[in-house]
Each structure stands twice: as C-alpha cells, then as structure tokens.
Amino acid sequence: MKHLESREDIELLVNSFYTKVVKDETIGFFFKDIVKVDWDKHLPKMYSFWETILFGQMSYKGNPMAVHFPINRTEAMEKRHFEQWLKLWKQTIEENFTGQNASMAITKSENIANLMAYKMEMARKL
Ligand code: HEM
C-alpha cells in the first residue's frame, strides 16, 4: 500500500472521497441539493486544504469553519452527518494509503470534524 506523500496522492484521495460523498444517502444531499457545489472550484480548494494540513504547504487560504455556518442554517449539520463524513473519509484513506501521513489525515479530520460539529450545534442554539 502506498504512502500519502504528494499533491497527486491528495488529489486521488479527495476525488475518491467525494465520489463516495455524492452517492451517500446521509450526507450527499448537502453537496447536491443544499449547496449546488461547483466541483471545479471545490476540489482544488480541498487539495490545497489537505496539502496545507499534511505537508505544511500553506497553499490553502480560507476559513473552513465559516463556509459551513450558512449551510447549517439552511439544513442542520448534525453529529450523525459528521460521523458519516468521517466514516467515508477513513474508508477512502484506508482503501488507498498507509503510513504516518495517512494516520495524520485521519486524526486531523477527527479533530476538525468534532470541533465543527460542536460549533454547528452551538450556532443552532443562538
Ligand atoms: C457533514 C459534514 C460536512 C458537510 C455536509 C460539508 C459540506 C461542505 C460543502 C457543501 C462545502 C462547499 C461550499 C461551497 O462550495 O460553497 C464545503 C466546503 C469545505 N469543507 Fe466541508 N462539509 C462537512 C465537513 C467538513 C469537514 C469535517 C472538513 C474538514 C476536515 C471540511 C472542510 C471543508 C473545506 C476546507 C471547505 C472549503 C472551504 C472554502 O471554501 O475555503 N468539511 N463543505
């Protein structure tokens, strides 16, 4: 199994992940119906996001939390959605990669997803 070590690896990971996401019954509708995602724009952002997290490339300049608040106002982003997101992300990593960066991609995603889930829940109580 391959190590997760280049921009090309990240592109493969992110593309395979969103292929699963759009087909998914629990979270696919966020990307297809709630936000009609422009994939030509979204995918390169996600490559840069993960490149920044895993390789310290600093190619992503954005605010990942901020973009999710308006989505959460249209349709509640709940714990079960984040759990499904994480399940698909872990599955995609484990199907394709091994090693330290692969493990880091899982750990970081868990931390971000848990923080995001908490922030979305708090925002709904305001
Ligand atoms: C149920 C869980 C999630 C859903 C439904 C979701 C949905 C979305 C959608 C629809 C967009 C695109 C917004 C647009 O094109 O205007 C987006 C962007 C993004 N998401 Fe998520 N997301 C989820 C969880 C996560 C998690 C856990 C992470 C990080 C580990 C993440 C990172 C990002 C980033 C970096 C962007 C791009 C932000 C930017 O435009 O700079 N998302 N998300």
Side-chain angles (χ1 to χ4, degrees):
M1 193 90 83
K2 222 195 149 311
H3 283 253
L4 179 49
E5 54 199 357
S6 67
R7 170 91 179 190
E8 287 69 38
D9 293 341
I10 287 183
E11 290 181 8
L12 175 96
L13 170 61
V14 168
N15 292 346
S16 315
F17 171 65
Y18 284 108
T19 303
K20 289 192 203 294
V21 164
V22 292
K23 285 192 234 153
D24 188 80
E25 281 189 11
T26 310
I27 60 169
F29 75 102
F30 280 107
F31 298 83
K32 291 183 292 188
D33 306 325
I34 307 294
V35 179
K36 288 178 183 61
V37 172
D38 179 344
W39 294 102
D40 289 343
K41 288 197 180 137
H42 182 60
L43 292 174
K45 271 191 212 169
M46 297 312 293
Y47 307 150
S48 296
F49 175 73
W50 284 107
E51 197 174 38
T52 299
I53 289 187
L54 296 175
F55 311 146
Q57 287 283 345
M58 305 310 276
S59 52
Y60 174 76
K61 290 182 189 63
N63 185 340
M65 287 296 160
V67 301
H68 297 86
F69 286 109
I71 304 171
N72 183 53
R73 279 197 288 275
T74 308
E75 182 76 30
M77 292 172 74
E78 294 171 356
K79 192 81 197 155
R80 64 192 176 91
H81 298 124
F82 286 98
E83 280 164 5
Q84 187 64 11
W85 190 106
L86 279 173
K87 187 178 150 191
L88 297 178
W89 180 246
K90 279 188 218 167
Q91 238 176 39
T92 318
I93 291 175
E94 283 163 4
E95 279 165 10
N96 294 286
F97 298 102
T98 187
Q100 242 179 11
N101 282 341
S103 305
M104 209 208 303
I106 293 177
T107 313
K108 296 271 183 182
S109 72
E110 285 168 345
N111 293 340
I112 300 168
N114 289 336
L115 179 65
M116 205 182 271
Y118 175 76
K119 287 192 178 221
M120 296 307 134
E121 197 186 330
M122 287 300 126
R124 289 198 296 276
K125 290 180 178 162
L126 290 176

PDB file of all heavy atoms in Angstrom, residues 20-42:
ATOM      1  N   LYS A  20     -17.594   9.057  -3.227  1.00  0.00           N
ATOM      2  CA  LYS A  20     -18.417   8.358  -2.224  1.00  0.00           C
ATOM      3  C   LYS A  20     -19.455   9.306  -1.627  1.00  0.00           C
ATOM      4  O   LYS A  20     -20.616   8.935  -1.438  1.00  0.00           O
ATOM      5  CB  LYS A  20     -17.543   7.835  -1.075  1.00  0.00           C
ATOM      6  CG  LYS A  20     -16.630   6.667  -1.414  1.00  0.00           C
ATOM      7  CD  LYS A  20     -16.070   6.103  -0.099  1.00  0.00           C
ATOM      8  CE  LYS A  20     -14.769   5.346  -0.269  1.00  0.00           C
ATOM      9  NZ  LYS A  20     -14.873   4.121  -1.036  1.00  0.00           N
ATOM     10  N   VAL A  21     -18.997  10.540  -1.320  1.00  0.00           N
ATOM     11  CA  VAL A  21     -19.875  11.505  -0.651  1.00  0.00           C
ATOM     12  C   VAL A  21     -21.140  11.783  -1.467  1.00  0.00           C
ATOM     13  O   VAL A  21     -22.245  11.753  -0.928  1.00  0.00           O
ATOM     14  CB  VAL A  21     -19.102  12.831  -0.359  1.00  0.00           C
ATOM     15  CG1 VAL A  21     -20.061  13.976  -0.023  1.00  0.00           C
ATOM     16  CG2 VAL A  21     -18.106  12.636   0.776  1.00  0.00           C
ATOM     17  N   VAL A  22     -20.986  12.049  -2.762  1.00  0.00           N
ATOM     18  CA  VAL A  22     -22.175  12.425  -3.538  1.00  0.00           C
ATOM     19  C   VAL A  22     -23.181  11.274  -3.663  1.00  0.00           C
ATOM     20  O   VAL A  22     -24.370  11.506  -3.822  1.00  0.00           O
ATOM     21  CB  VAL A  22     -21.850  12.989  -4.956  1.00  0.00           C
ATOM     22  CG1 VAL A  22     -21.162  14.324  -4.869  1.00  0.00           C
ATOM     23  CG2 VAL A  22     -21.032  12.013  -5.775  1.00  0.00           C
ATOM     24  N   LYS A  23     -22.679  10.040  -3.539  1.00  0.00           N
ATOM     25  CA  LYS A  23     -23.582   8.874  -3.624  1.00  0.00           C
ATOM     26  C   LYS A  23     -24.202   8.530  -2.271  1.00  0.00           C
ATOM     27  O   LYS A  23     -25.053   7.659  -2.171  1.00  0.00           O
ATOM     28  CB  LYS A  23     -22.779   7.648  -4.096  1.00  0.00           C
ATOM     29  CG  LYS A  23     -22.440   7.672  -5.576  1.00  0.00           C
ATOM     30  CD  LYS A  23     -21.914   6.297  -5.997  1.00  0.00           C
ATOM     31  CE  LYS A  23     -20.573   6.405  -6.677  1.00  0.00           C
ATOM     32  NZ  LYS A  23     -19.718   5.240  -6.580  1.00  0.00           N
ATOM     33  N   ASP A  24     -23.721   9.196  -1.212  1.00  0.00           N
ATOM     34  CA  ASP A  24     -24.097   8.791   0.141  1.00  0.00           C
ATOM     35  C   ASP A  24     -25.491   9.300   0.535  1.00  0.00           C
ATOM     36  O   ASP A  24     -25.799  10.473   0.363  1.00  0.00           O
ATOM     37  CB  ASP A  24     -23.052   9.319   1.132  1.00  0.00           C
ATOM     38  CG  ASP A  24     -23.276   8.771   2.523  1.00  0.00           C
ATOM     39  OD1 ASP A  24     -22.883   7.619   2.770  1.00  0.00           O
ATOM     40  OD2 ASP A  24     -23.873   9.485   3.353  1.00  0.00           O
ATOM     41  N   GLU A  25     -26.286   8.402   1.089  1.00  0.00           N
ATOM     42  CA  GLU A  25     -27.667   8.739   1.453  1.00  0.00           C
ATOM     43  C   GLU A  25     -27.770   9.724   2.601  1.00  0.00           C
ATOM     44  O   GLU A  25     -28.733  10.481   2.697  1.00  0.00           O
ATOM     45  CB  GLU A  25     -28.412   7.457   1.849  1.00  0.00           C
ATOM     46  CG  GLU A  25     -28.854   6.661   0.657  1.00  0.00           C
ATOM     47  CD  GLU A  25     -29.787   5.510   1.035  1.00  0.00           C
ATOM     48  OE1 GLU A  25     -30.254   5.468   2.190  1.00  0.00           O
ATOM     49  OE2 GLU A  25     -30.019   4.663   0.156  1.00  0.00           O
ATOM     50  N   THR A  26     -26.788   9.696   3.511  1.00  0.00           N
ATOM     51  CA  THR A  26     -26.866  10.542   4.709  1.00  0.00           C
ATOM     52  C   THR A  26     -26.348  11.961   4.463  1.00  0.00           C
ATOM     53  O   THR A  26     -26.917  12.927   4.984  1.00  0.00           O
ATOM     54  CB  THR A  26     -26.068   9.891   5.869  1.00  0.00           C
ATOM     55  OG1 THR A  26     -26.480   8.532   5.980  1.00  0.00           O
ATOM     56  CG2 THR A  26     -26.295  10.600   7.191  1.00  0.00           C
ATOM     57  N   ILE A  27     -25.285  12.110   3.689  1.00  0.00           N
ATOM     58  CA  ILE A  27     -24.705  13.465   3.532  1.00  0.00           C
ATOM     59  C   ILE A  27     -24.640  13.974   2.085  1.00  0.00           C
ATOM     60  O   ILE A  27     -24.377  15.150   1.866  1.00  0.00           O
ATOM     61  CB  ILE A  27     -23.299  13.583   4.183  1.00  0.00           C
ATOM     62  CG1 ILE A  27     -22.298  12.588   3.569  1.00  0.00           C
ATOM     63  CG2 ILE A  27     -23.388  13.428   5.691  1.00  0.00           C
ATOM     64  CD1 ILE A  27     -20.852  12.846   3.996  1.00  0.00           C
ATOM     65  N   GLY A  28     -24.913  13.107   1.120  1.00  0.00           N
ATOM     66  CA  GLY A  28     -24.801  13.513  -0.291  1.00  0.00           C
ATOM     67  C   GLY A  28     -25.638  14.733  -0.637  1.00  0.00           C
ATOM     68  O   GLY A  28     -25.193  15.597  -1.412  1.00  0.00           O
ATOM     69  N   PHE A  29     -26.817  14.834  -0.044  1.00  0.00           N
ATOM     70  CA  PHE A  29     -27.744  15.919  -0.405  1.00  0.00           C
ATOM     71  C   PHE A  29     -27.209  17.314  -0.045  1.00  0.00           C
ATOM     72  O   PHE A  29     -27.570  18.293  -0.678  1.00  0.00           O
ATOM     73  CB  PHE A  29     -29.119  15.680   0.233  1.00  0.00           C
ATOM     74  CG  PHE A  29     -29.172  15.973   1.710  1.00  0.00           C
ATOM     75  CD1 PHE A  29     -29.730  17.162   2.178  1.00  0.00           C
ATOM     76  CD2 PHE A  29     -28.662  15.075   2.632  1.00  0.00           C
ATOM     77  CE1 PHE A  29     -29.777  17.445   3.541  1.00  0.00           C
ATOM     78  CE2 PHE A  29     -28.703  15.353   3.998  1.00  0.00           C
ATOM     79  CZ  PHE A  29     -29.255  16.535   4.446  1.00  0.00           C
ATOM     80  N   PHE A  30     -26.337  17.396   0.968  1.00  0.00           N
ATOM     81  CA  PHE A  30     -25.743  18.700   1.304  1.00  0.00           C
ATOM     82  C   PHE A  30     -24.997  19.264   0.097  1.00  0.00           C
ATOM     83  O   PHE A  30     -25.017  20.464  -0.155  1.00  0.00           O
ATOM     84  CB  PHE A  30     -24.739  18.561   2.466  1.00  0.00           C
ATOM     85  CG  PHE A  30     -25.372  18.506   3.830  1.00  0.00           C
ATOM     86  CD1 PHE A  30     -25.415  17.313   4.545  1.00  0.00           C
ATOM     87  CD2 PHE A  30     -25.910  19.649   4.410  1.00  0.00           C
ATOM     88  CE1 PHE A  30     -25.980  17.259   5.811  1.00  0.00           C
ATOM     89  CE2 PHE A  30     -26.477  19.608   5.678  1.00  0.00           C
ATOM     90  CZ  PHE A  30     -26.509  18.398   6.380  1.00  0.00           C
ATOM     91  N   PHE A  31     -24.325  18.382  -0.626  1.00  0.00           N
ATOM     92  CA  PHE A  31     -23.462  18.802  -1.735  1.00  0.00           C
ATOM     93  C   PHE A  31     -24.223  18.928  -3.055  1.00  0.00           C
ATOM     94  O   PHE A  31     -23.823  19.652  -3.945  1.00  0.00           O
ATOM     95  CB  PHE A  31     -22.304  17.788  -1.899  1.00  0.00           C
ATOM     96  CG  PHE A  31     -21.422  17.726  -0.677  1.00  0.00           C
ATOM     97  CD1 PHE A  31     -21.754  16.942   0.425  1.00  0.00           C
ATOM     98  CD2 PHE A  31     -20.258  18.477  -0.620  1.00  0.00           C
ATOM     99  CE1 PHE A  31     -20.955  16.898   1.565  1.00  0.00           C
ATOM    100  CE2 PHE A  31     -19.453  18.444   0.503  1.00  0.00           C
ATOM    101  CZ  PHE A  31     -19.804  17.650   1.600  1.00  0.00           C
ATOM    102  N   LYS A  32     -25.334  18.201  -3.173  1.00  0.00           N
ATOM    103  CA  LYS A  32     -26.070  18.196  -4.446  1.00  0.00           C
ATOM    104  C   LYS A  32     -27.273  19.128  -4.414  1.00  0.00           C
ATOM    105  O   LYS A  32     -27.628  19.724  -5.430  1.00  0.00           O
ATOM    106  CB  LYS A  32     -26.557  16.769  -4.770  1.00  0.00           C
ATOM    107  CG  LYS A  32     -25.417  15.822  -5.104  1.00  0.00           C
ATOM    108  CD  LYS A  32     -25.929  14.446  -5.497  1.00  0.00           C
ATOM    109  CE  LYS A  32     -26.567  13.730  -4.311  1.00  0.00           C
ATOM    110  NZ  LYS A  32     -26.915  12.330  -4.572  1.00  0.00           N
ATOM    111  N   ASP A  33     -27.945  19.211  -3.247  1.00  0.00           N
ATOM    112  CA  ASP A  33     -29.213  19.932  -3.167  1.00  0.00           C
ATOM    113  C   ASP A  33     -29.125  21.213  -2.339  1.00  0.00           C
ATOM    114  O   ASP A  33     -29.646  22.244  -2.751  1.00  0.00           O
ATOM    115  CB  ASP A  33     -30.303  19.027  -2.567  1.00  0.00           C
ATOM    116  CG  ASP A  33     -30.408  17.714  -3.335  1.00  0.00           C
ATOM    117  OD1 ASP A  33     -30.213  17.743  -4.565  1.00  0.00           O
ATOM    118  OD2 ASP A  33     -30.668  16.666  -2.715  1.00  0.00           O
ATOM    119  N   ILE A  34     -28.517  21.137  -1.165  1.00  0.00           N
ATOM    120  CA  ILE A  34     -28.456  22.309  -0.273  1.00  0.00           C
ATOM    121  C   ILE A  34     -27.486  23.341  -0.867  1.00  0.00           C
ATOM    122  O   ILE A  34     -27.836  24.500  -1.041  1.00  0.00           O
ATOM    123  CB  ILE A  34     -28.000  21.911   1.161  1.00  0.00           C
ATOM    124  CG1 ILE A  34     -28.876  20.779   1.715  1.00  0.00           C
ATOM    125  CG2 ILE A  34     -27.988  23.121   2.075  1.00  0.00           C
ATOM    126  CD1 ILE A  34     -30.320  21.132   1.957  1.00  0.00           C
ATOM    127  N   VAL A  35     -26.260  22.893  -1.148  1.00  0.00           N
ATOM    128  CA  VAL A  35     -25.300  23.720  -1.886  1.00  0.00           C
ATOM    129  C   VAL A  35     -25.116  22.998  -3.221  1.00  0.00           C
ATOM    130  O   VAL A  35     -24.850  21.814  -3.223  1.00  0.00           O
ATOM    131  CB  VAL A  35     -23.924  23.755  -1.177  1.00  0.00           C
ATOM    132  CG1 VAL A  35     -22.929  24.594  -1.959  1.00  0.00           C
ATOM    133  CG2 VAL A  35     -24.065  24.265   0.252  1.00  0.00           C
ATOM    134  N   LYS A  36     -25.309  23.698  -4.290  1.00  0.00           N
ATOM    135  CA  LYS A  36     -25.006  23.033  -5.569  1.00  0.00           C
ATOM    136  C   LYS A  36     -23.536  23.276  -5.851  1.00  0.00           C
ATOM    137  O   LYS A  36     -23.159  24.248  -6.495  1.00  0.00           O
ATOM    138  CB  LYS A  36     -25.927  23.551  -6.685  1.00  0.00           C
ATOM    139  CG  LYS A  36     -27.337  23.035  -6.483  1.00  0.00           C
ATOM    140  CD  LYS A  36     -28.341  23.518  -7.480  1.00  0.00           C
ATOM    141  CE  LYS A  36     -29.723  22.992  -7.139  1.00  0.00           C
ATOM    142  NZ  LYS A  36     -30.214  23.428  -5.804  1.00  0.00           N
ATOM    143  N   VAL A  37     -22.724  22.372  -5.326  1.00  0.00           N
ATOM    144  CA  VAL A  37     -21.281  22.597  -5.322  1.00  0.00           C
ATOM    145  C   VAL A  37     -20.717  22.676  -6.735  1.00  0.00           C
ATOM    146  O   VAL A  37     -21.029  21.852  -7.590  1.00  0.00           O
ATOM    147  CB  VAL A  37     -20.564  21.482  -4.511  1.00  0.00           C
ATOM    148  CG1 VAL A  37     -19.062  21.571  -4.657  1.00  0.00           C
ATOM    149  CG2 VAL A  37     -20.957  21.554  -3.039  1.00  0.00           C
ATOM    150  N   ASP A  38     -19.914  23.699  -6.939  1.00  0.00           N
ATOM    151  CA  ASP A  38     -19.157  23.837  -8.189  1.00  0.00           C
ATOM    152  C   ASP A  38     -17.859  23.044  -7.997  1.00  0.00           C
ATOM    153  O   ASP A  38     -16.910  23.515  -7.378  1.00  0.00           O
ATOM    154  CB  ASP A  38     -18.880  25.344  -8.425  1.00  0.00           C
ATOM    155  CG  ASP A  38     -18.077  25.591  -9.695  1.00  0.00           C
ATOM    156  OD1 ASP A  38     -17.475  24.630 -10.235  1.00  0.00           O
ATOM    157  OD2 ASP A  38     -18.054  26.741 -10.145  1.00  0.00           O
ATOM    158  N   TRP A  39     -17.847  21.824  -8.515  1.00  0.00           N
ATOM    159  CA  TRP A  39     -16.743  20.894  -8.230  1.00  0.00           C
ATOM    160  C   TRP A  39     -15.412  21.373  -8.774  1.00  0.00           C
ATOM    161  O   TRP A  39     -14.361  21.082  -8.200  1.00  0.00           O
ATOM    162  CB  TRP A  39     -17.089  19.487  -8.741  1.00  0.00           C
ATOM    163  CG  TRP A  39     -18.235  18.930  -7.969  1.00  0.00           C
ATOM    164  CD1 TRP A  39     -19.539  18.854  -8.363  1.00  0.00           C
ATOM    165  CD2 TRP A  39     -18.207  18.429  -6.616  1.00  0.00           C
ATOM    166  NE1 TRP A  39     -20.324  18.337  -7.351  1.00  0.00           N
ATOM    167  CE2 TRP A  39     -19.530  18.060  -6.270  1.00  0.00           C
ATOM    168  CE3 TRP A  39     -17.193  18.261  -5.668  1.00  0.00           C
ATOM    169  CZ2 TRP A  39     -19.866  17.532  -5.012  1.00  0.00           C
ATOM    170  CZ3 TRP A  39     -17.515  17.739  -4.415  1.00  0.00           C
ATOM    171  CH2 TRP A  39     -18.828  17.379  -4.097  1.00  0.00           C
ATOM    172  N   ASP A  40     -15.457  22.114  -9.901  1.00  0.00           N
ATOM    173  CA  ASP A  40     -14.195  22.626 -10.468  1.00  0.00           C
ATOM    174  C   ASP A  40     -13.521  23.610  -9.523  1.00  0.00           C
ATOM    175  O   ASP A  40     -12.313  23.805  -9.572  1.00  0.00           O
ATOM    176  CB  ASP A  40     -14.455  23.325 -11.816  1.00  0.00           C
ATOM    177  CG  ASP A  40     -14.820  22.307 -12.886  1.00  0.00           C
ATOM    178  OD1 ASP A  40     -14.551  21.108 -12.682  1.00  0.00           O
ATOM    179  OD2 ASP A  40     -15.407  22.715 -13.912  1.00  0.00           O
ATOM    180  N   LYS A  41     -14.329  24.238  -8.656  1.00  0.00           N
ATOM    181  CA  LYS A  41     -13.754  25.164  -7.682  1.00  0.00           C
ATOM    182  C   LYS A  41     -13.486  24.453  -6.359  1.00  0.00           C
ATOM    183  O   LYS A  41     -12.480  24.692  -5.704  1.00  0.00           O
ATOM    184  CB  LYS A  41     -14.720  26.324  -7.431  1.00  0.00           C
ATOM    185  CG  LYS A  41     -14.788  27.269  -8.600  1.00  0.00           C
ATOM    186  CD  LYS A  41     -15.402  28.601  -8.182  1.00  0.00           C
ATOM    187  CE  LYS A  41     -15.470  29.540  -9.391  1.00  0.00           C
ATOM    188  NZ  LYS A  41     -16.738  30.259  -9.447  1.00  0.00           N
ATOM    189  N   HIS A  42     -14.433  23.617  -5.948  1.00  0.00           N
ATOM    190  CA  HIS A  42     -14.331  22.988  -4.621  1.00  0.00           C
ATOM    191  C   HIS A  42     -13.153  22.009  -4.538  1.00  0.00           C
ATOM    192  O   HIS A  42     -12.402  22.041  -3.558  1.00  0.00           O
ATOM    193  CB  HIS A  42     -15.647  22.274  -4.288  1.00  0.00           C
ATOM    194  CG  HIS A  42     -15.652  21.633  -2.933  1.00  0.00           C
ATOM    195  ND1 HIS A  42     -15.463  22.360  -1.774  1.00  0.00           N
ATOM    196  CD2 HIS A  42     -15.803  20.346  -2.549  1.00  0.00           C
ATOM    197  CE1 HIS A  42     -15.510  21.524  -0.726  1.00  0.00           C
ATOM    198  NE2 HIS A  42     -15.713  20.301  -1.176  1.00  0.00           N
TER     199      HIS A  42
END
